[in-house]
Amino acid sequence: MRIALAYDLRDDYRAMGYGEEEVAEFDSIETIDAIDSALRELGFRTERIGHLGALIPRLLDGSRWDMVFNVTEGLYGIAREAQVPALLDAYRIPYTFSDTSVLALTMHKALCKRVVRDLGIPTPDFVSIASPREIDSIDLPLPLFAKPLAEGTGKGVSAASVITDRHALREVVTGLLARHRQPVLVETYLPGREFTAGIVGTGEEARVIGVAEIILNHNAEAAVYSLSNKELCEERVSYRLADDPEACMAAEFALAAWRGLECRDAGRIDLRSNADGVPGFMEVNPLAGLHPTHSDLPIIATLAGMDYNELIRSIMDSALLRLGPAAPSHINRARA
């Protein structure tokens, strides 16, 4: 079975002149090597394609694959994670992970939280601020938490994101609007434990493989799982598999959100507890990082006793199960 790998490689964008923060969400060559190696060891034939700009000419020249292992994050626009899946839908080529509609929705953190709230899952109150003129209209009680509306990997999150007075609120939100050129999500700050739940599967087949508690070490940036803490997680962060009642509640909410948002194959849900110990939905990562030792989902899998190849196998099993009888006949023959 022929699997194409679609990805955004940090080195490719550095060579184009992009800065470190701009490429922070993209994959390292170590990640792509690990995915490729795992797929080959599982018996798939692979071909590395790369980013959207490399995929388009291949589609136009008639290249086709049985499935695309898609981990592209995209570069421009709030719905940028949906660009490659939309193209693959147009060419009727199956791909791993969530579909276009889910990836477009979940990157917009405010719209996603509205859906999650409609599902009855706890999530902190919030507003989306598009200009400095709107800052005075924020009537949520302090403390608050502010971050860019449509970024991942902790981009735009720092110790300053925890806001305790109105002067800091204006200063932080104004700074984020100018730096990231997109709206800012301002929400009630949750002071409790932070969890990230790893999930594999789709729909009723989805399951939580583990809930990791994020524990910041003494040398970490205080109070937040920020971009700098994530980049230096080996030194600054401890991950502990948690299964106490509060963590189990986090797992329950995470699985409900995953199914309600119709996410597919594998990913993560991030939660944080309020002062009463009730976890609240923070955000979903339907395209979770897959570096074997640096990314949260493989870290959770390892803590739960699932090795890297088994994680990749679970992702492929879910993707192939979704295709079912609708899979092209040559795929079903390859699976037989």
Side-chain angles (χ1 to χ4, degrees), residues 193-196 212-216 225 237-240 296:
R193 298 162 68 190
E194 183 161 357
F195 302 103
T196 182
E213 182 172 1
I214 308 298
I215 300 171
L216 300 179
Y225 195 31
V237 182
S238 297
Y239 301 89
R240 183 178 69 87
D296 288 359

Side-chain angles (χ1 to χ4, degrees), residues 263-281:
C263 299
R264 309 192 313 199
D265 298 341
R268 287 183 10 251
I269 302 276
D270 298 336
L271 309 99
R272 191 166 178 131
S273 294
N274 63 16
D276 296 322
V278 178
F281 172 94

Side-chain angles (χ1 to χ4, degrees), residues 9-335:
L9 193 65
R10 290 185 179 190
D11 291 344
D12 288 343
Y13 288 90
R14 286 177 180 134
M16 292 183 234
Y18 291 97
E20 287 305 305
E21 188 175 57
E22 292 173 293
V23 306
E25 289 185 86
F26 299 159
D27 286 308
S28 66
I29 189 61
E30 291 81 8
T31 300
I32 304 307
D33 286 345
I35 296 170
D36 195 352
S37 175
L39 288 171
R40 288 175 180 272
E41 288 181 28
L42 293 170
F44 299 102
R45 289 183 293 140
T46 62
E47 181 180 356
R48 299 188 187 192
I49 303 301
H51 53 60
L52 176 67
L55 176 63
I56 290 173
R58 295 298 306 277
L59 292 171
L60 291 175
D61 74 14
S63 297
R64 299 293 184 268
W65 308 272
D66 297 318
M67 181 173 288
V68 173
F69 196 99
N70 171 53
V71 290
T72 54
E73 300 280 352
L75 190 60
Y76 295 112
I78 288 179
R80 57 190 180 274
E81 287 187 347
Q83 291 167 351
V84 163
L87 199 56
L88 295 173
D89 281 338
Y91 280 84
R92 302 182 66 182
I93 299 174
Y95 52 90
T96 56
F97 301 111
S98 294
D99 70 8
T100 307
S101 61
V102 173
L103 294 174
L105 171 69
T106 56
M107 183 53 85
H108 193 303
K109 299 182 192 302
L111 292 181
C112 183
K113 281 167 66 74
R114 290 190 178 103
V115 174
V116 168
R117 189 169 56 189
D118 186 65
L119 291 167
I121 298 166
T123 189
D125 292 337
F126 66 96
V127 292
S128 175
I129 300 298
S131 80
R133 295 190 305 275
E134 299 174 10
I135 295 174
D136 288 338
S137 68
I138 299 173
D139 60 358
L140 297 171
L142 297 167
L144 296 171
F145 191 88
K147 60 186 177 183
L149 182 80
E151 296 292 351
T153 321
K155 287 173 67 175
V157 173
S158 69
S161 297
V162 182
I163 296 167
T164 58
D165 63 71
R166 292 285 162 181
H167 174 74
L169 175 62
R170 172 164 291 281
E171 188 173 87
V172 171
V173 173
T174 301
L176 289 173
L177 287 169
R179 184 179 181 89
H180 295 277
R181 299 181 180 180
Q182 60 182 270
V184 174
L185 184 76
V186 179
E187 57 188 342
T188 300
Y189 175 68
L190 300 180
R193 298 162 68 190
E194 183 161 357
F195 302 103
T196 182
I199 298 176
V200 298
T202 305
E204 290 303 310
E205 302 295 328
R207 62 190 175 93
V208 176
I209 60 171
V211 175
E213 182 172 1
I214 308 298
I215 300 171
L216 300 179
N217 299 336
H218 66 87
N219 57 343
E221 189 175 18
V224 291
Y225 195 31
S226 60
L227 173 61
S228 63
N229 283 340
K230 290 182 178 182
E231 287 293 312
L232 299 172
C233 65
E234 291 83 358
E235 305 167 14
R236 295 185 175 185
V237 182
S238 297
Y239 301 89
R240 183 178 69 87
L241 202 64
D243 59 359
D244 57 88
E246 190 172 326
C248 291
M249 195 186 315
E252 177 186 343
F253 292 156
L255 189 57
W258 183 263
R259 288 172 173 163
L261 291 168
E262 300 186 15
C263 299
R264 309 192 313 199
D265 298 341
R268 287 183 10 251
I269 302 276
D270 298 336
L271 309 99
R272 191 166 178 131
S273 294
N274 63 16
D276 296 322
V278 178
F281 172 94
M282 300 301 292
E283 56 188 61
V284 55
N285 192 336
L287 281 179
L290 288 174
H291 188 286
T293 60
H294 186 76
S295 298
D296 288 359
L297 181 59
I299 289 173
I300 295 169
T302 300
L303 290 172
M306 173 186 283
D307 69 24
Y308 190 77
N309 280 14
E310 185 60 27
L311 175 61
I312 300 299
R313 182 198 297 277
S314 297
I315 293 167
M316 289 302 300
D317 283 348
S318 175
L320 292 170
L321 183 64
R322 284 192 288 105
L323 290 178
S329 57
H330 62 281
I331 292 181
N332 282 326
R333 285 197 298 272
R335 294 166 60 189

